[in-house]
Amino acid sequence: IHLLEGQQIAVVRRIGAKEAFIGVEDGSTGAIPLKEMLWARRQLGPLALGPAVTSPAQVLAPGDVVLVKRLEA
């Protein structure tokens, strides 16, 4: 896998009400907040999107492998 600058591979460890908790390849842990998943709406057709994302469980599941980049607080 070719990673862009700052990207790391992570695994979703568990899903919370408003975030997905991850383990990062460097051994650190973190969370992906729901607000960073709002773009991940299901595509229903060429010009149609599904309902808005309201829960991390609609986007991710434990065991999913994701590319992440640390955000500054």
Side-chain angles (χ1 to χ4, degrees):
I1 295 176
H2 178 71
L3 301 177
L4 299 176
E5 184 178 342
Q7 286 183 328
Q8 292 184 292
I9 297 171
V11 175
V12 177
R13 298 175 63 150
R14 69 183 173 90
I15 301 293
K18 296 293 180 188
E19 63 262 324
F21 297 94
I22 57 171
V24 185
E25 67 179 330
D26 66 6
S28 64
T29 59
I32 303 172
L34 176 61
K35 70 179 185 174
E36 297 297 332
M37 299 180 228
L38 298 179
W39 62 269
R41 295 172 64 179
R42 182 174 301 209
Q43 186 170 356
L44 300 176
L47 300 175
L49 295 176
V53 173
T54 58
S55 166
Q58 292 174 287
V59 180
L60 297 170
D64 285 352
V65 176
V66 295
L67 293 179
V68 295
K69 185 173 181 178
R70 187 173 306 275
L71 296 177
E72 298 302 323

